[in-house]
Amino acid sequence: MKRWIVFGVPLLAFVILVGFLFSGLFSDPRALDSQVKGKPVPDFSLPDLMNPAQTYTPDVFKGKVTLLNVWGVWCVTCAVELPYLTQLVEQEQVNIVGLYFDQDLDPDFGTKTIERVQQEVVEITSQFGNPYQFHIFDVFRDTSLDLGVTGAPEHFLIDSNGVIRMHHIGDINERVWRNKVGPLYHQLHQELAGQPQ
Amino acid sequence: MKRGLLFIALLFASLVAQATEEAYEFDTLQQRLLFQTLTAELRCPMCQNQNIADSDAMISHDMRRKVYTLIKQGKNEEEIIGYMKSRYGDFIHYKPPVTPVTMWLWLAPILFSIIALLVVFLRRRTTPPEDMAAKLAKAEAMLEQDK
């Protein structure tokens, strides 16, 4: 009995430690718990990138399922995912809205004009594909901060009530869409179809 | 000569402009100190282990600007940390909160020390005294034989 304790307890402790460290090998230190999931889109009032006279509020998400794509032309991965997002629009009629923010357009010391930004966006989307219904222009990057955005690209799945149901950090490719984002997107569509009009 | 001087003067002028790019101005010393404390304590969510004072990531620039704005609005330290935590989670602050999961960070070393002390203490106690007496008798007997 005593021998069992002397050898068993350290062995058990060792096995637990190894199990803990082993699971750590496969955990992603960049994966953060989203704080906005399950909450309505934070309040904002932002202009359209292409037509700044038009202003959007969170009401713009009401009534349909939206994939909000946080992006910018300076972000290489964003350009890489444009062809696949365009394909999603063509094949599955996904409603994709861009939340555009610019790196060089520093709110305090900005020198870049909005025309220049518009021109860059047109250049990129005509080259790689344009999946966007429209772009909400996060001028001071405040809304990105409210959404807990760490960089670009990031994606938010927003249901027809304007509630954020998923926050996906990183690009959307075929694998991510099939395993993670797509299933919830279709589920949200079914929820919308089931709602009384 | 004059042109050379002017050139040097311009060179320095641009350097100064660079250095003051993010010079935030505060009304009071307390506000400045609070800004320094907060930017040292808040962690850049993009980088793995850098505070926002140290990081050059865009998100850190934005967070510094937000901290500055909030201080200017008269928010205190807890309010600003709460503001950031509500957006980026506990990850954003270098001081983890005590929860049932993180509690073990503090408890584990204490528990380990207690267990180690108990083991040492109990092992000492288990050496039976009569054993010592028997050993002594045996040693005496051997000495007797050698005589």
Side-chain angles (χ1 to χ4, degrees), chain B residues 35-78:
Chain B
F35 182 79
Q36 284 168 359
T37 320
L38 280 169
T39 51
E41 271 180 21
L42 289 170
R43 182 175 179 183
C44 162
M46 184 78 171
C47 339
Q48 279 301 290
N49 199 2
Q50 240 180 342
N51 58 26
I52 61 167
D54 201 21
S55 163
D56 198 37
M58 188 166 60
I59 180 70
S60 299
H61 279 274
D62 289 352
M63 282 175 63
R64 283 198 294 267
R65 200 177 66 237
K66 191 51 107 176
V67 168
Y68 174 72
T69 321
L70 291 173
I71 288 177
K72 277 284 193 179
Q73 282 171 13
K75 298 272 194 295
N76 65 30
E77 188 173 353
E78 268 170 48

Side-chain angles (χ1 to χ4, degrees), chain B residues 124-144:
Chain B
R124 277 225 179 134
R125 282 270 301 262
T126 47
T127 315
E130 58 273 342
D131 211 42
M132 283 304 285
K135 270 185 185 165
L136 261 175
K138 204 175 174 185
E140 287 288 347
M142 280 166 119
L143 282 171
E144 282 296 325

